[in-house]
Short mmCIF file of all heavy atoms in Angstrom, two decimals:
data_model
loop_
_atom_site.label_atom_id
_atom_site.label_comp_id
_atom_site.label_asym_id
_atom_site.label_seq_id
_atom_site.Cartn_x
_atom_site.Cartn_y
_atom_site.Cartn_z
N GLN A 34 124.34 143.50 124.65
CA GLN A 34 123.40 143.69 125.72
C GLN A 34 123.65 144.99 126.43
O GLN A 34 124.72 145.55 126.41
CB GLN A 34 123.46 142.50 126.69
CG GLN A 34 123.02 141.22 126.01
CD GLN A 34 122.84 140.10 127.01
OE1 GLN A 34 122.87 140.31 128.22
NE2 GLN A 34 122.68 138.90 126.53
N GLY A 35 122.61 145.47 127.08
CA GLY A 35 122.71 146.74 127.78
C GLY A 35 121.42 147.52 127.59
O GLY A 35 120.80 147.95 128.53
N GLY A 36 121.01 147.61 126.29
CA GLY A 36 119.69 148.14 125.94
C GLY A 36 119.43 149.54 126.49
O GLY A 36 120.27 150.41 126.44
N VAL A 37 118.21 149.69 127.03
CA VAL A 37 117.74 150.98 127.45
C VAL A 37 118.51 151.47 128.67
O VAL A 37 118.75 150.73 129.62
CB VAL A 37 116.22 150.91 127.78
CG1 VAL A 37 115.74 152.25 128.29
CG2 VAL A 37 115.46 150.49 126.55
N GLN A 38 118.88 152.74 128.64
CA GLN A 38 119.62 153.32 129.74
C GLN A 38 118.82 154.46 130.33
O GLN A 38 117.96 155.03 129.72
CB GLN A 38 120.99 153.85 129.25
CG GLN A 38 121.88 152.77 128.66
CD GLN A 38 122.33 151.78 129.69
OE1 GLN A 38 122.65 152.16 130.81
NE2 GLN A 38 122.32 150.53 129.32
N GLY A 39 119.12 154.76 131.59
CA GLY A 39 118.52 155.96 132.18
C GLY A 39 117.67 155.64 133.36
O GLY A 39 116.86 154.73 133.35
N GLY A 40 117.84 156.41 134.46
CA GLY A 40 116.98 156.30 135.64
C GLY A 40 117.04 154.93 136.25
O GLY A 40 118.05 154.25 136.25
N ALA A 41 115.84 154.50 136.80
CA ALA A 41 115.79 153.23 137.51
C ALA A 41 115.93 152.06 136.56
O ALA A 41 116.11 150.92 136.99
CB ALA A 41 114.44 153.14 138.23
N SER A 42 115.85 152.29 135.24
CA SER A 42 115.97 151.20 134.27
C SER A 42 117.36 151.17 133.65
O SER A 42 117.58 150.58 132.60
CB SER A 42 114.92 151.36 133.17
OG SER A 42 115.07 152.60 132.51
N GLY A 43 118.35 151.79 134.31
CA GLY A 43 119.68 151.89 133.73
C GLY A 43 120.35 150.57 133.49
O GLY A 43 121.16 150.45 132.56
N ASP A 44 120.06 149.52 134.25
CA ASP A 44 120.68 148.20 134.04
C ASP A 44 119.70 147.24 133.40
O ASP A 44 119.88 146.01 133.46
CB ASP A 44 121.20 147.65 135.39
CG ASP A 44 120.09 147.51 136.42
OD1 ASP A 44 118.96 148.02 136.16
OD2 ASP A 44 120.35 146.90 137.48
N TRP A 45 118.67 147.77 132.79
CA TRP A 45 117.66 146.94 132.13
C TRP A 45 117.67 147.21 130.63
O TRP A 45 117.85 148.38 130.23
CB TRP A 45 116.26 147.27 132.67
CG TRP A 45 115.18 146.51 131.97
CD1 TRP A 45 114.75 145.24 132.22
CD2 TRP A 45 114.40 146.98 130.87
NE1 TRP A 45 113.76 144.89 131.34
CE2 TRP A 45 113.52 145.95 130.50
CE3 TRP A 45 114.35 148.19 130.15
CZ2 TRP A 45 112.59 146.05 129.44
CZ3 TRP A 45 113.45 148.31 129.09
CH2 TRP A 45 112.56 147.25 128.75
N PRO A 46 117.52 146.19 129.82
CA PRO A 46 117.36 144.77 130.14
C PRO A 46 118.73 144.12 130.41
O PRO A 46 119.73 144.53 129.83
CB PRO A 46 116.70 144.18 128.90
CG PRO A 46 117.13 145.08 127.79
CD PRO A 46 117.26 146.45 128.37
N SER A 47 118.71 143.12 131.25
CA SER A 47 119.97 142.46 131.63
C SER A 47 120.24 141.21 130.81
O SER A 47 121.25 140.53 131.03
CB SER A 47 119.90 142.08 133.11
OG SER A 47 118.82 141.20 133.36
N GLY A 48 119.38 140.88 129.88
CA GLY A 48 119.56 139.70 129.04
C GLY A 48 118.34 139.53 128.15
O GLY A 48 117.52 140.46 128.05
N PRO A 49 118.21 138.39 127.48
CA PRO A 49 117.05 138.18 126.61
C PRO A 49 115.73 138.38 127.33
O PRO A 49 115.57 138.02 128.51
CB PRO A 49 117.20 136.71 126.17
CG PRO A 49 118.66 136.45 126.30
CD PRO A 49 119.13 137.22 127.47
N ILE A 50 114.79 138.99 126.66
CA ILE A 50 113.45 139.25 127.21
C ILE A 50 112.50 138.17 126.73
O ILE A 50 112.49 137.79 125.58
CB ILE A 50 112.97 140.64 126.77
CG1 ILE A 50 113.72 141.72 127.56
CG2 ILE A 50 111.46 140.80 126.96
CD1 ILE A 50 113.39 143.13 127.11
N ARG A 51 111.70 137.69 127.68
CA ARG A 51 110.74 136.62 127.38
C ARG A 51 109.33 137.21 127.28
O ARG A 51 108.87 137.88 128.19
CB ARG A 51 110.81 135.56 128.48
CG ARG A 51 109.80 134.43 128.33
CD ARG A 51 110.02 133.31 129.32
NE ARG A 51 109.87 133.73 130.71
CZ ARG A 51 109.49 132.93 131.70
NH1 ARG A 51 109.26 131.64 131.48
NH2 ARG A 51 109.39 133.39 132.94
N ILE A 52 108.66 136.94 126.16
CA ILE A 52 107.26 137.31 125.99
C ILE A 52 106.45 136.01 126.00
O ILE A 52 106.57 135.19 125.08
CB ILE A 52 107.02 138.08 124.70
CG1 ILE A 52 107.82 139.40 124.69
CG2 ILE A 52 105.53 138.36 124.50
CD1 ILE A 52 107.68 140.17 123.41
N VAL A 53 105.67 135.82 127.03
CA VAL A 53 104.85 134.60 127.17
C VAL A 53 103.52 134.82 126.45
O VAL A 53 102.81 135.79 126.72
CB VAL A 53 104.61 134.25 128.63
CG1 VAL A 53 103.66 133.05 128.77
CG2 VAL A 53 105.94 133.94 129.32
N VAL A 54 103.19 133.93 125.53
CA VAL A 54 101.89 133.90 124.87
C VAL A 54 101.15 132.70 125.45
O VAL A 54 101.58 131.55 125.27
CB VAL A 54 102.05 133.75 123.34
CG1 VAL A 54 100.69 133.52 122.68
CG2 VAL A 54 102.73 134.96 122.76
N PRO A 55 100.02 132.91 126.14
CA PRO A 55 99.38 131.80 126.85
C PRO A 55 98.47 130.93 125.97
O PRO A 55 97.44 130.44 126.43
CB PRO A 55 98.57 132.52 127.94
CG PRO A 55 98.21 133.81 127.31
CD PRO A 55 99.37 134.20 126.43
N PHE A 56 98.86 130.77 124.73
CA PHE A 56 98.11 129.96 123.76
C PHE A 56 99.09 129.21 122.87
O PHE A 56 100.28 129.54 122.83
CB PHE A 56 97.18 130.83 122.90
CG PHE A 56 96.25 131.68 123.72
CD1 PHE A 56 96.53 133.04 123.87
CD2 PHE A 56 95.14 131.15 124.32
CE1 PHE A 56 95.68 133.85 124.64
CE2 PHE A 56 94.30 131.93 125.09
CZ PHE A 56 94.58 133.29 125.25
N ALA A 57 98.59 128.21 122.16
CA ALA A 57 99.41 127.41 121.27
C ALA A 57 99.92 128.26 120.11
O ALA A 57 99.34 129.28 119.77
CB ALA A 57 98.63 126.22 120.76
N PRO A 58 101.03 127.84 119.47
CA PRO A 58 101.53 128.55 118.30
C PRO A 58 100.50 128.57 117.17
O PRO A 58 99.66 127.69 117.05
CB PRO A 58 102.76 127.75 117.90
CG PRO A 58 103.15 127.00 119.13
CD PRO A 58 101.87 126.70 119.84
N GLY A 59 100.58 129.60 116.35
CA GLY A 59 99.77 129.65 115.13
C GLY A 59 98.54 130.52 115.20
O GLY A 59 97.96 130.84 114.15
N GLY A 60 98.10 130.92 116.39
CA GLY A 60 96.93 131.78 116.48
C GLY A 60 97.28 133.24 116.33
O GLY A 60 98.44 133.62 116.15
N SER A 61 96.27 134.10 116.46
CA SER A 61 96.49 135.52 116.25
C SER A 61 97.40 136.12 117.31
O SER A 61 98.22 137.01 117.02
CB SER A 61 95.15 136.27 116.24
OG SER A 61 94.56 136.29 117.52
N THR A 62 97.29 135.66 118.57
CA THR A 62 98.12 136.23 119.63
C THR A 62 99.59 135.91 119.40
O THR A 62 100.47 136.76 119.59
CB THR A 62 97.66 135.69 120.99
OG1 THR A 62 96.24 135.83 121.09
CG2 THR A 62 98.30 136.47 122.14
N ASP A 63 99.86 134.69 118.97
CA ASP A 63 101.22 134.29 118.65
C ASP A 63 101.76 135.13 117.49
O ASP A 63 102.90 135.62 117.53
CB ASP A 63 101.23 132.81 118.27
CG ASP A 63 102.61 132.27 117.98
OD1 ASP A 63 103.47 132.35 118.87
OD2 ASP A 63 102.83 131.76 116.87
N ALA A 64 100.93 135.36 116.45
CA ALA A 64 101.36 136.15 115.32
C ALA A 64 101.64 137.58 115.71
O ALA A 64 102.65 138.18 115.26
CB ALA A 64 100.28 136.12 114.21
N VAL A 65 100.81 138.17 116.57
CA VAL A 65 101.01 139.54 116.98
C VAL A 65 102.31 139.67 117.77
O VAL A 65 103.08 140.62 117.58
CB VAL A 65 99.80 140.03 117.82
CG1 VAL A 65 100.11 141.33 118.54
CG2 VAL A 65 98.59 140.19 116.91
N ALA A 66 102.60 138.70 118.66
CA ALA A 66 103.82 138.74 119.43
C ALA A 66 105.04 138.67 118.51
O ALA A 66 106.02 139.43 118.72
CB ALA A 66 103.85 137.58 120.43
N ARG A 67 105.02 137.82 117.54
CA ARG A 67 106.19 137.64 116.67
C ARG A 67 106.36 138.80 115.69
O ARG A 67 107.47 139.09 115.25
CB ARG A 67 106.09 136.29 115.94
CG ARG A 67 106.21 135.14 116.94
CD ARG A 67 106.04 133.77 116.30
NE ARG A 67 106.02 132.74 117.35
CZ ARG A 67 107.08 132.17 117.88
NH1 ARG A 67 108.30 132.51 117.47
NH2 ARG A 67 106.97 131.28 118.83
N LEU A 68 105.27 139.49 115.38
CA LEU A 68 105.39 140.70 114.57
C LEU A 68 106.12 141.80 115.34
O LEU A 68 106.88 142.57 114.76
CB LEU A 68 103.99 141.20 114.17
CG LEU A 68 103.30 140.46 113.01
CD1 LEU A 68 101.87 140.95 112.88
CD2 LEU A 68 104.07 140.67 111.71
N ALA A 69 105.89 141.87 116.64
CA ALA A 69 106.52 142.93 117.45
C ALA A 69 107.98 142.62 117.78
O ALA A 69 108.75 143.54 118.05
CB ALA A 69 105.73 143.11 118.75
N ALA A 70 108.36 141.35 117.77
CA ALA A 70 109.67 140.95 118.29
C ALA A 70 110.85 141.62 117.58
O ALA A 70 111.78 142.10 118.27
CB ALA A 70 109.81 139.42 118.25
N PRO A 71 110.91 141.70 116.24
CA PRO A 71 112.08 142.35 115.64
C PRO A 71 112.25 143.80 116.04
O PRO A 71 113.37 144.25 116.30
CB PRO A 71 111.80 142.21 114.14
CG PRO A 71 110.87 141.03 114.02
CD PRO A 71 110.01 141.11 115.23
N GLY A 72 111.15 144.57 116.12
CA GLY A 72 111.27 145.96 116.52
C GLY A 72 111.71 146.10 117.97
O GLY A 72 112.50 147.00 118.29
#
Side-chain angles (χ1 to χ4, degrees):
Q34 295 189 10
V37 177
Q38 299 294 319
S42 59
D44 58 351
W45 176 84
S47 60
I50 286 176
R51 177 172 62 152
I52 298 177
V53 175
V54 172
F56 305 102
S61 69
T62 311
D63 183 58
V65 167
R67 293 176 186 275
L68 282 172

